[in-house]
Amino acid sequence: MRPLVFLLLAACSGTEPPPPPPAAPPPAPKPAKKKADTGQGDSMNRAPQLGGIAFDPPKPTTLDAIRVVVKATDADDDPVDIDYKWFINGQERFEFRDQVLPARAFKKGDVVHVEVQANDGTADTERTSSELTIANSLPHFITDPNTLRDIDGFRLEATDEDRDKLTYTLKGQPDGMTIDKQLGVLRYKGTQDEPGGPYKITVVAEDTDGGRA
C-alpha cells in the first residue's frame, strides 16, 4: 500500500506541472495583389491618367528635333512607365521609341503624330496626339560679308536645309549694282547720275516657299 500513499502525498504537495510552450504566432497574411480597375470597390487598381499631348517646338522644321510634352498621373501613386510610338505620313516608325524624334527622321511637308501609352504595371492608358506638319526651314547665308574686298564679282551664297532652289535679290542698292538671281554674284559699275554717300544694301535669298534670309 505504500506506493499508493506516496502518490497521494505527491498530488497534495502543491507542485504544479510546467505550462505547455506557447503556440507559434500565425504567419502574417500576404498583401493581396491589386486587380485591374473594374469600377467596383476602392481596393481595385486605378489606371494611370494622361494629360494633353503637346510638341516642342510647336512648329518644327527639318532643323528641329521634336519632343513630346505629356504628363502622366496615377491615383494609386504607382510608378508609371511611358512608351511612345511615332508615325510619319501614317506609317509607324518602329525604330523611334523615345520621347524625342530626331530631325533626320522627317522632311519638309511630312505629317507626324505620336501614340503615348502610360502603364503602372497592372493597367495602361493610351492617347493619340494631333497631327503635326513639318514646316519650311528658312535659308541662311554662309558667306561672311566681312571678307568683301571688291564689290564687283563678289558672291553671296546661301543654303537651305530643305534643298529648295534659292533666288537672290537686292534692296537699297545704288544705280549700276545688280545681282545674279541664281548665283548671288554682285556686279557694280558706278554711274555719274547716282549721288555719292553711304548705302545700306540688303541681299535677300528666298526659297520656293517664301522663306527668306
Side-chain angles (χ1 to χ4, degrees), residues 83-176:
D83 295 321
Y84 306 90
K85 295 180 182 179
W86 289 95
F87 295 79
I88 301 178
N89 299 325
Q91 299 295 319
E92 184 175 357
R93 298 295 296 270
F94 296 95
E95 68 270 36
F96 302 114
R97 292 297 189 190
D98 295 328
Q99 184 180 6
V100 177
L101 182 66
R104 60 183 172 83
F106 48 80
K107 63 183 183 299
K108 181 180 71 174
D110 281 348
V111 178
V112 176
H113 77 272
V114 65
E115 291 182 359
V116 180
Q117 183 185 77
N119 187 284
D120 66 0
T122 303
D124 55 60
T125 301
E126 293 185 356
R127 184 180 290 273
T128 301
S129 73
S130 58
E131 292 184 339
L132 183 70
T133 301
I134 305 302
N136 177 54
S137 62
L138 302 181
H140 63 277
F141 280 97
I142 58 177
T143 300
D144 182 1
N146 293 320
T147 61
L148 186 147
R149 295 293 178 267
D150 188 356
I151 292 178
D152 188 47
F154 185 73
R155 184 182 182 188
L156 292 109
E157 185 179 3
T159 186
D160 188 272
E161 191 69 22
D162 301 324
R163 299 182 180 180
D164 293 336
K165 185 178 180 180
L166 302 179
T167 56
Y168 299 87
T169 56
L170 289 175
K171 293 182 179 180
Q173 75 276 15
D175 286 345

XYZ file of all heavy atoms in Angstrom, residues 83-176:
759
model
N 5.486 54.844 -72.876
C 6.024 54.381 -74.158
C 5.504 55.282 -75.272
O 4.407 55.839 -75.191
C 5.612 52.930 -74.422
C 6.214 51.975 -73.412
O 7.385 52.172 -73.041
O 5.515 51.031 -72.989
N 6.312 55.391 -76.345
C 5.975 56.276 -77.457
C 6.030 55.501 -78.778
O 6.957 54.721 -79.005
C 6.967 57.450 -77.532
C 7.087 58.221 -76.239
C 8.024 57.853 -75.280
C 6.264 59.303 -75.973
C 8.149 58.552 -74.085
C 6.377 60.016 -74.787
C 7.319 59.632 -73.849
O 7.438 60.324 -72.672
N 5.023 55.734 -79.620
C 5.003 55.179 -80.967
C 4.864 56.344 -81.956
O 3.853 57.052 -81.942
C 3.830 54.201 -81.142
C 3.907 52.949 -80.281
C 2.695 52.058 -80.531
C 2.720 50.819 -79.659
N 1.528 49.953 -79.894
N 5.867 56.518 -82.794
C 5.864 57.628 -83.747
C 5.343 57.167 -85.106
O 5.663 56.063 -85.562
C 7.274 58.188 -83.906
C 7.767 58.939 -82.712
C 8.541 58.457 -81.691
C 7.519 60.314 -82.402
N 8.795 59.436 -80.773
C 8.181 60.596 -81.191
C 6.808 61.328 -83.041
C 8.152 61.856 -80.591
C 6.784 62.579 -82.450
C 7.443 62.838 -81.249
N 4.560 58.046 -85.733
C 4.016 57.785 -87.064
C 4.366 58.961 -87.976
O 4.189 60.126 -87.591
C 2.498 57.613 -87.012
C 2.044 56.403 -86.244
C 2.002 56.414 -84.855
C 1.668 55.244 -86.922
C 1.586 55.303 -84.145
C 1.248 54.126 -86.213
C 1.207 54.147 -84.828
N 4.859 58.654 -89.174
C 5.182 59.672 -90.176
C 4.409 59.338 -91.440
O 4.553 58.251 -91.993
C 6.694 59.727 -90.456
C 7.453 60.050 -89.161
C 7.009 60.772 -91.522
C 8.963 60.074 -89.328
N 3.561 60.274 -91.844
C 2.688 60.072 -93.009
C 1.855 58.798 -92.874
O 1.650 58.054 -93.835
C 3.511 60.051 -94.303
C 4.256 61.351 -94.535
O 3.771 62.432 -94.212
N 5.463 61.254 -95.087
N 1.401 58.534 -91.641
C 0.528 57.394 -91.379
C 1.241 56.069 -91.174
O 0.585 55.072 -90.851
N 2.560 56.027 -91.338
C 3.313 54.791 -91.182
C 4.059 54.779 -89.851
O 4.771 55.736 -89.524
C 4.314 54.626 -92.337
C 3.675 54.549 -93.709
C 2.804 53.313 -93.880
O 3.180 52.222 -93.429
N 1.670 53.480 -94.541
N 3.880 53.706 -89.078
C 4.596 53.612 -87.810
C 6.081 53.414 -88.057
O 6.488 52.590 -88.888
C 4.058 52.452 -86.969
C 4.714 52.361 -85.596
C 4.095 51.296 -84.711
O 3.105 50.650 -85.154
O 4.581 51.108 -83.586
N 6.896 54.180 -87.332
C 8.351 54.079 -87.446
C 8.870 53.345 -86.206
O 9.043 53.931 -85.144
C 8.955 55.470 -87.558
C 8.489 56.240 -88.804
C 8.967 55.582 -90.095
N 10.398 55.595 -90.176
C 11.096 56.597 -90.732
N 10.453 57.637 -91.274
N 12.403 56.566 -90.768
N 9.070 52.051 -86.367
C 9.408 51.201 -85.231
C 10.784 51.517 -84.651
O 11.064 51.166 -83.499
C 9.358 49.730 -85.647
C 7.980 49.264 -86.045
C 7.579 49.259 -87.372
C 7.081 48.860 -85.073
C 6.313 48.838 -87.734
C 5.806 48.431 -85.428
C 5.418 48.427 -86.761
N 11.654 52.166 -85.428
C 12.998 52.450 -84.934
C 13.035 53.639 -83.974
O 14.060 53.895 -83.338
C 13.964 52.692 -86.107
C 13.702 53.967 -86.905
C 12.737 53.764 -88.064
O 11.792 52.960 -87.912
O 12.936 54.401 -89.109
N 11.927 54.362 -83.864
C 11.886 55.522 -82.973
C 10.880 55.250 -81.854
O 9.673 55.188 -82.096
C 11.504 56.785 -83.753
C 12.433 57.094 -84.884
C 11.997 57.045 -86.206
C 13.762 57.420 -84.636
C 12.859 57.321 -87.253
C 14.631 57.695 -85.679
C 14.183 57.646 -86.989
N 11.406 55.074 -80.619
C 10.562 54.746 -79.475
C 10.793 55.686 -78.307
O 10.267 55.448 -77.215
C 10.841 53.313 -79.012
C 10.399 52.240 -79.992
C 8.900 52.270 -80.198
N 8.411 51.141 -80.959
C 7.187 51.032 -81.441
N 6.331 52.020 -81.252
N 6.804 49.980 -82.130
N 11.553 56.754 -78.516
C 11.880 57.644 -77.415
C 10.954 58.850 -77.391
O 10.140 59.063 -78.294
C 13.337 58.109 -77.535
C 14.322 56.966 -77.387
O 14.004 56.022 -76.636
O 15.383 57.010 -78.023
N 11.139 59.666 -76.367
C 10.340 60.879 -76.209
C 10.669 61.915 -77.274
O 9.846 62.777 -77.590
C 10.573 61.466 -74.813
C 9.718 62.679 -74.485
C 10.007 63.215 -73.096
O 10.923 62.753 -72.412
N 9.243 64.199 -72.673
N 11.865 61.815 -77.859
C 12.319 62.789 -78.858
C 12.457 62.112 -80.209
O 13.093 61.058 -80.326
C 13.661 63.418 -78.431
C 14.157 64.374 -79.502
C 13.513 64.150 -77.104
N 11.870 62.722 -81.234
C 12.008 62.254 -82.608
C 13.094 63.086 -83.276
O 12.956 64.312 -83.398
C 10.687 62.405 -83.367
C 10.661 61.909 -84.812
C 10.829 60.393 -84.862
C 9.362 62.317 -85.501
N 14.196 62.475 -83.734
C 15.289 63.263 -84.305
C 14.917 63.878 -85.645
O 14.066 63.362 -86.379
C 16.420 62.231 -84.448
C 15.719 60.915 -84.552
C 14.495 61.031 -83.691
N 15.577 64.989 -85.971
C 15.270 65.720 -87.200
C 15.574 64.892 -88.448
O 14.940 65.095 -89.493
C 16.054 67.031 -87.234
N 16.481 63.937 -88.349
C 16.817 63.127 -89.511
C 15.676 62.203 -89.941
O 15.722 61.617 -91.024
C 18.066 62.289 -89.224
C 17.904 61.337 -88.051
C 19.187 60.572 -87.762
N 19.111 59.804 -86.546
C 18.574 58.605 -86.434
N 18.053 58.018 -87.501
N 18.554 57.964 -85.271
N 14.651 62.082 -89.091
C 13.569 61.134 -89.370
C 12.556 61.677 -90.375
O 11.784 60.897 -90.937
C 12.855 60.765 -88.074
N 12.540 62.983 -90.634
C 11.470 63.547 -91.459
C 12.015 64.630 -92.388
O 13.159 65.075 -92.253
C 10.355 64.119 -90.572
C 10.858 64.997 -89.457
C 11.216 66.319 -89.682
C 10.995 64.492 -88.172
C 11.684 67.119 -88.660
C 11.469 65.289 -87.143
C 11.817 66.604 -87.389
N 11.152 65.057 -93.304
C 11.481 66.131 -94.244
C 10.320 67.115 -94.293
O 9.257 66.873 -93.717
C 11.758 65.557 -95.634
C 10.585 64.846 -96.279
C 10.972 64.254 -97.608
C 9.780 63.589 -98.309
N 9.219 62.489 -97.512
N 10.555 68.226 -94.984
C 9.518 69.257 -95.071
C 8.235 68.694 -95.674
O 8.260 67.949 -96.647
C 10.023 70.422 -95.928
C 9.029 71.556 -96.074
C 9.580 72.688 -96.924
C 9.669 72.300 -98.394
N 10.060 73.454 -99.234
N 7.111 69.032 -95.039
C 5.813 68.580 -95.528
C 5.352 67.267 -94.952
O 4.175 66.904 -95.133
N 6.221 66.527 -94.269
C 5.796 65.272 -93.633
C 4.786 65.561 -92.525
O 4.846 66.593 -91.846
C 6.995 64.527 -93.044
C 7.791 63.778 -94.106
O 7.287 63.662 -95.237
O 8.914 63.331 -93.805
N 3.854 64.610 -92.335
C 2.840 64.725 -91.282
C 3.191 63.728 -90.180
O 3.324 62.525 -90.431
C 1.431 64.455 -91.833
C 0.395 64.534 -90.704
C 1.089 65.460 -92.935
N 3.332 64.232 -88.970
C 3.805 63.430 -87.833
C 2.742 63.396 -86.738
O 2.092 64.407 -86.467
C 5.113 64.026 -87.264
C 5.566 63.270 -86.026
C 6.201 64.018 -88.332
N 2.559 62.224 -86.124
C 1.801 62.144 -84.879
C 2.392 61.036 -84.019
O 3.212 60.233 -84.487
C 0.301 61.936 -85.121
C -0.092 60.539 -85.494
N -0.111 60.090 -86.797
C -0.497 59.486 -84.720
C -0.511 58.832 -86.824
N -0.736 58.428 -85.585
N 1.996 61.003 -82.752
C 2.570 60.043 -81.812
C 1.458 59.450 -80.954
O 0.468 60.115 -80.642
C 3.642 60.725 -80.919
C 3.017 61.784 -80.035
C 4.408 59.710 -80.082
N 1.622 58.167 -80.607
C 0.746 57.499 -79.649
C 1.526 57.303 -78.354
O 2.647 56.794 -78.366
C 0.271 56.142 -80.180
C -0.699 56.252 -81.354
C -1.184 54.895 -81.831
O -0.751 53.867 -81.248
O -1.980 54.846 -82.786
N 0.920 57.717 -77.236
C 1.562 57.635 -75.928
C 0.799 56.636 -75.070
O -0.431 56.678 -75.000
C 1.593 59.016 -75.247
C 2.264 58.921 -73.887
C 2.310 60.031 -76.129
N 1.537 55.738 -74.412
C 0.923 54.742 -73.519
C 1.560 54.848 -72.142
O 2.794 54.796 -72.011
C 1.101 53.327 -74.057
C 0.420 52.258 -73.196
C 0.714 50.854 -73.675
O 1.807 50.324 -73.440
N -0.246 50.236 -74.352
N 0.720 55.013 -71.109
C 1.176 55.029 -69.719
C 0.759 53.722 -69.048
O -0.398 53.319 -69.142
C 0.577 56.221 -68.975
N 1.703 53.070 -68.358
C 1.439 51.766 -67.741
C 1.950 51.762 -66.303
O 3.091 52.182 -66.048
C 2.129 50.657 -68.548
C 1.758 49.271 -68.049
O 2.254 48.828 -67.020
N 0.905 48.583 -68.792
N 1.106 51.299 -65.360
C 1.511 51.240 -63.954
C 1.859 49.821 -63.510
O 1.955 49.539 -62.321
C 0.419 51.822 -63.050
C -0.861 50.987 -63.066
O -0.919 49.964 -63.773
O -1.824 51.364 -62.362
N 2.030 48.916 -64.458
C 2.352 47.531 -64.140
C 1.145 46.623 -64.118
O 1.271 45.396 -64.197
N -0.053 47.222 -64.010
C -1.286 46.439 -63.990
C -2.247 46.886 -65.082
O -2.869 46.068 -65.744
C -1.979 46.558 -62.623
O -1.069 46.140 -61.592
C -3.228 45.703 -62.559
N -2.363 48.193 -65.257
C -3.289 48.751 -66.246
C -2.560 49.812 -67.059
O -1.527 50.350 -66.638
C -4.519 49.354 -65.563
N -3.081 50.099 -68.232
C -2.464 51.114 -69.068
C -3.524 52.027 -69.673
O -4.702 51.690 -69.742
C -1.603 50.498 -70.181
C -2.376 49.512 -71.038
O -3.376 49.923 -71.662
O -1.990 48.327 -71.096
N -3.065 53.197 -70.103
C -3.904 54.201 -70.744
C -3.183 54.708 -71.984
O -1.967 54.949 -71.940
C -4.184 55.375 -69.793
O -4.831 54.886 -68.619
C -5.078 56.417 -70.456
N -3.902 54.854 -73.089
C -3.307 55.325 -74.339
C -3.961 56.626 -74.779
O -5.133 56.867 -74.520
C -3.459 54.271 -75.445
C -2.668 53.004 -75.211
C -2.764 52.041 -76.390
O -3.511 52.363 -77.344
O -2.108 50.991 -76.350
N -3.164 57.450 -75.441
C -3.679 58.699 -76.007
C -2.923 58.980 -77.296
O -1.716 58.741 -77.389
C -3.521 59.857 -75.022
C -4.139 61.173 -75.515
C -3.932 62.268 -74.487
N -4.734 62.058 -73.298
C -5.982 62.475 -73.166
N -6.566 63.135 -74.160
N -6.644 62.252 -72.062
N -3.643 59.509 -78.300
C -3.046 59.839 -79.595
C -3.013 61.356 -79.773
O -3.996 62.043 -79.484
C -3.850 59.205 -80.744
O -3.863 57.777 -80.560
C -3.224 59.521 -82.093
N -1.892 61.861 -80.252
C -1.738 63.297 -80.437
C -2.447 63.755 -81.709
O -2.869 62.954 -82.542
C -0.250 63.649 -80.543
O 0.274 63.219 -81.801
N -2.547 65.058 -81.861
C -2.986 65.624 -83.129
C -1.844 65.525 -84.141
O -0.706 65.231 -83.783
C -3.403 67.088 -82.936
O -2.308 67.833 -82.414
N -2.145 65.763 -85.400
C -1.124 65.681 -86.439
C -0.339 66.983 -86.525
O -0.860 68.074 -86.276
C -1.766 65.365 -87.795
C -2.348 63.964 -87.865
C -2.884 63.632 -89.245
O -3.172 64.594 -90.003
O -3.023 62.442 -89.569
N 0.934 66.831 -86.877
C 1.854 67.959 -86.957
C 2.546 67.925 -88.316
O 3.116 66.906 -88.690
C 2.885 67.854 -85.832
C 3.915 68.959 -85.677
C 3.231 70.240 -85.174
C 4.995 68.538 -84.701
N 2.478 69.020 -89.058
C 3.116 69.093 -90.372
C 4.462 69.818 -90.252
O 4.538 70.902 -89.670
C 2.224 69.833 -91.388
O 0.976 69.135 -91.488
C 2.877 69.869 -92.759
N 5.499 69.195 -90.794
C 6.839 69.779 -90.729
C 6.889 71.028 -91.607
O 6.590 70.977 -92.801
C 7.909 68.769 -91.161
C 7.797 67.486 -90.338
C 9.295 69.377 -91.040
C 7.914 67.700 -88.847
N 7.260 72.149 -91.007
C 7.236 73.440 -91.692
C 8.490 73.651 -92.537
O 9.482 72.925 -92.422
C 7.096 74.563 -90.667
N 8.412 74.670 -93.372
C 9.540 75.055 -94.206
C 10.645 75.670 -93.349
O 10.392 76.497 -92.480
C 9.066 76.082 -95.246
C 10.196 76.604 -96.109
O 10.922 75.826 -96.723
N 10.346 77.928 -96.169
N 11.882 75.248 -93.585
C 13.018 75.856 -92.884
C 13.549 77.025 -93.700
O 13.550 76.985 -94.941
C 14.127 74.829 -92.640
O 14.627 74.338 -93.873
N 13.985 78.062 -93.020
C 14.453 79.262 -93.704
C 15.880 79.065 -94.218
O 16.697 78.405 -93.575
C 14.415 80.457 -92.753
C 13.049 80.795 -92.145
C 13.175 82.013 -91.239
C 12.023 81.050 -93.234
N 16.185 79.669 -95.360
C 17.572 79.634 -95.821
C 18.456 80.492 -94.923
O 17.953 81.323 -94.155
C 17.483 80.209 -97.239
C 16.263 81.063 -97.229
C 15.302 80.416 -96.276
N 19.747 80.306 -95.020
C 20.681 81.156 -94.278
C 21.967 81.315 -95.077
O 22.360 80.435 -95.851
C 20.970 80.581 -92.892
C 21.645 79.241 -92.905
N 20.951 78.060 -93.055
C 22.955 78.890 -92.801
C 21.771 77.041 -93.026
N 23.003 77.524 -92.887
N 22.600 82.468 -94.901
C 23.820 82.774 -95.645
C 25.016 82.082 -95.021
O 25.133 81.980 -93.798
C 24.053 84.291 -95.676
C 23.226 85.007 -96.706
C 22.034 85.613 -96.352
C 23.633 85.062 -98.031
C 21.260 86.267 -97.296
C 22.865 85.717 -98.982
C 21.678 86.323 -98.613
N 25.888 81.608 -95.895
C 27.139 81.010 -95.429
C 28.338 81.864 -95.829
O 29.467 81.551 -95.463
C 27.297 79.574 -95.976
C 27.269 79.571 -97.503
C 26.224 78.668 -95.404
C 27.501 78.187 -98.101
N 28.106 82.943 -96.552
C 29.172 83.877 -96.934
C 29.324 84.937 -95.854
O 28.329 85.492 -95.367
C 28.855 84.563 -98.265
O 28.730 83.574 -99.288
C 29.958 85.536 -98.655
N 30.542 85.217 -95.453
C 30.826 86.267 -94.482
C 31.042 87.578 -95.237
O 32.020 87.714 -95.981
C 32.071 85.899 -93.681
C 32.389 86.927 -92.607
O 31.635 87.915 -92.474
O 33.400 86.741 -91.899
N 30.162 88.589 -95.079
C 30.332 89.843 -95.811
C 31.595 90.606 -95.419
O 32.048 91.489 -96.158
C 29.073 90.640 -95.448
C 28.579 90.040 -94.191
C 28.966 88.600 -94.228
N 32.185 90.243 -94.280
C 33.421 90.913 -93.879
C 34.598 90.545 -94.765
O 35.652 91.197 -94.698
C 33.753 90.579 -92.420
C 32.748 91.162 -91.449
O 32.295 92.291 -91.641
N 32.393 90.409 -90.422
N 34.426 89.503 -95.588
C 35.517 89.114 -96.495
C 35.480 89.911 -97.793
O 36.329 89.703 -98.664
C 35.412 87.607 -96.818
O 34.157 87.348 -97.479
C 35.485 86.778 -95.543
N 34.503 90.809 -97.945
C 34.369 91.581 -99.181
C 35.575 92.508 -99.367
O 35.937 93.263 -98.461
C 33.069 92.391 -99.155
C 32.716 93.145 -100.439
C 31.198 93.201 -100.600
C 33.266 94.572 -100.430
N 36.188 92.438 -100.539
C 37.283 93.336 -100.904
C 36.919 94.162 -102.127
O 37.311 95.316 -102.235
C 38.562 92.528 -101.174
C 39.108 91.817 -99.942
C 39.606 92.802 -98.903
N 40.095 92.123 -97.705
C 39.379 91.874 -96.643
N 38.091 92.232 -96.611
N 39.897 91.285 -95.592
N 36.163 93.558 -103.023
C 35.748 94.252 -104.243
C 34.294 93.900 -104.496
O 33.948 92.722 -104.601
C 36.633 93.828 -105.427
C 36.374 94.660 -106.672
O 35.446 95.511 -106.628
O 37.065 94.452 -107.681
N 33.445 94.915 -104.583
C 32.011 94.654 -104.773
C 31.760 93.928 -106.073
O 31.005 92.949 -106.122
C 31.220 95.974 -104.726
C 31.261 96.566 -103.313
C 29.763 95.731 -105.126
C 30.535 97.892 -103.202
N 32.357 94.382 -107.134
C 32.107 93.786 -108.448
C 32.674 92.366 -108.495
O 33.887 92.153 -108.313
C 32.751 94.639 -109.545
C 32.359 94.177 -110.942
O 31.153 93.952 -111.168
O 33.263 94.013 -111.793
N 31.799 91.393 -108.669
C 32.214 89.991 -108.726
C 32.127 89.264 -107.394
O 32.392 88.053 -107.328
N 31.741 89.963 -106.324
C 31.640 89.317 -105.008
C 30.403 88.425 -104.973
O 29.303 88.841 -105.339
C 31.561 90.370 -103.906
C 31.564 89.800 -102.518
C 32.708 89.264 -101.964
C 30.407 89.805 -101.741
C 32.721 88.745 -100.682
C 30.403 89.282 -100.461
C 31.572 88.751 -99.922
N 30.571 87.205 -104.501
C 29.458 86.251 -104.449
C 28.959 86.073 -103.026
O 29.726 85.781 -102.113
C 29.872 84.891 -105.013
C 28.706 83.903 -105.053
C 29.120 82.535 -105.564
N 27.974 81.633 -105.631
C 28.058 80.327 -105.903
N 29.245 79.770 -106.114
N 26.962 79.587 -105.955
N 27.646 86.223 -102.852
C 26.989 85.931 -101.582
C 26.225 84.625 -101.753
O 25.363 84.509 -102.617
C 26.040 87.068 -101.191
C 26.769 88.366 -100.839
C 26.528 89.389 -101.932
C 26.324 88.884 -99.500
N 26.551 83.651 -100.919
C 25.963 82.319 -101.063
C 25.140 81.959 -99.826
O 25.574 82.151 -98.695
C 27.065 81.283 -101.269
C 26.547 79.884 -101.559
C 27.667 78.883 -101.794
O 28.847 79.257 -101.675
O 27.346 77.714 -102.085
N 23.951 81.439 -100.094
C 23.080 80.950 -99.018
C 22.804 79.468 -99.242
O 22.999 78.936 -100.338
C 21.773 81.740 -98.985
N 22.334 78.806 -98.192
C 21.988 77.397 -98.279
C 20.624 77.169 -97.640
O 20.149 77.989 -96.856
C 23.059 76.525 -97.586
O 22.771 75.142 -97.805
C 23.085 76.791 -96.091
N 20.002 76.063 -97.991
C 18.662 75.753 -97.489
C 18.624 74.293 -97.065
O 18.972 73.396 -97.843
C 17.607 76.010 -98.581
C 16.192 75.889 -98.054
O 15.654 74.770 -98.057
O 15.628 76.907 -97.636
N 18.187 74.059 -95.824
C 18.183 72.706 -95.267
C 17.227 71.786 -96.014
O 17.436 70.571 -96.068
C 17.798 72.766 -93.782
C 17.999 71.468 -93.029
C 19.462 71.113 -92.862
O 20.301 72.025 -92.945
O 19.761 69.922 -92.659
N 16.185 72.377 -96.608
C 15.211 71.576 -97.360
C 15.641 71.351 -98.808
O 14.889 70.756 -99.586
C 13.845 72.268 -97.349
C 13.325 72.470 -95.937
O 13.561 71.590 -95.097
O 12.689 73.511 -95.680
N 16.805 71.868 -99.159
C 17.343 71.757 -100.523
C 16.443 72.443 -101.546
O 16.352 72.016 -102.709
C 17.577 70.296 -100.905
C 18.579 69.594 -99.993
C 18.827 68.160 -100.421
N 19.788 67.505 -99.542
C 20.197 66.253 -99.665
N 19.713 65.507 -100.659
N 21.068 65.738 -98.833
N 15.769 73.507 -101.114
C 14.964 74.293 -102.041
C 15.875 75.148 -102.915
O 16.958 75.562 -102.499
C 14.002 75.207 -101.272
C 12.936 74.423 -100.529
O 12.650 73.288 -100.928
O 12.389 74.963 -99.544
N 15.397 75.431 -104.125
C 16.132 76.323 -105.013
C 16.000 77.750 -104.497
O 14.910 78.198 -104.122
C 15.576 76.220 -106.432
C 16.353 77.023 -107.455
C 15.773 76.822 -108.846
C 16.559 77.624 -109.869
N 16.021 77.438 -111.242
N 17.095 78.497 -104.483
C 17.113 79.854 -103.955
C 17.287 80.877 -105.071
O 17.960 80.619 -106.077
C 18.253 80.020 -102.936
C 18.234 79.080 -101.732
C 19.443 79.344 -100.835
C 16.950 79.225 -100.951
N 16.674 82.034 -104.860
C 16.874 83.174 -105.759
C 17.328 84.364 -104.929
O 16.974 84.502 -103.755
C 15.580 83.535 -106.513
O 14.525 83.790 -105.565
C 15.156 82.408 -107.435
N 18.130 85.247 -105.568
C 18.738 86.378 -104.867
C 18.225 87.688 -105.444
O 18.098 87.838 -106.672
C 20.265 86.320 -104.990
C 20.885 85.084 -104.389
C 21.026 83.915 -105.138
C 21.334 85.077 -103.073
C 21.599 82.776 -104.595
C 21.907 83.945 -102.518
C 22.035 82.794 -103.278
O 22.601 81.667 -102.735
N 17.952 88.644 -104.566
C 17.547 89.990 -104.971
C 18.247 91.011 -104.085
O 18.780 90.669 -103.017
C 16.022 90.183 -104.864
O 15.607 89.873 -103.527
C 15.270 89.290 -105.849
N 18.226 92.284 -104.536
C 18.861 93.385 -103.807
C 17.829 94.409 -103.377
O 16.814 94.616 -104.037
C 19.906 94.079 -104.685
C 21.197 93.324 -105.005
C 22.043 94.147 -105.989
C 21.985 93.045 -103.744
N 18.109 95.064 -102.237
C 17.320 96.196 -101.778
C 18.264 97.324 -101.354
O 19.289 97.070 -100.709
C 16.445 95.806 -100.589
C 15.341 94.818 -100.903
C 14.503 94.535 -99.656
C 13.366 93.564 -99.948
N 12.549 93.291 -98.717
N 17.894 98.565 -101.726
C 18.676 99.726 -101.302
C 19.967 99.925 -102.054
O 20.809 100.720 -101.629
N 20.147 99.259 -103.171
C 21.401 99.359 -103.913
C 21.421 100.635 -104.773
O 20.377 101.137 -105.174
C 21.593 98.123 -104.802
C 20.733 98.092 -106.056
C 19.347 97.542 -105.798
O 18.910 97.440 -104.651
N 18.636 97.202 -106.874
N 22.608 101.150 -105.060
C 22.714 102.303 -105.964
C 22.529 101.873 -107.413
O 22.588 100.679 -107.743
C 24.136 102.808 -105.711
C 24.892 101.590 -105.296
C 23.912 100.747 -104.530
N 22.310 102.849 -108.257
C 22.251 102.548 -109.693
C 23.560 101.933 -110.147
O 24.646 102.309 -109.680
C 21.979 103.829 -110.491
C 20.543 104.288 -110.373
O 19.709 103.474 -109.911
O 20.261 105.452 -110.710
N 23.440 100.980 -111.033
C 24.629 100.316 -111.561
C 24.993 99.046 -110.815
O 25.928 98.347 -111.210
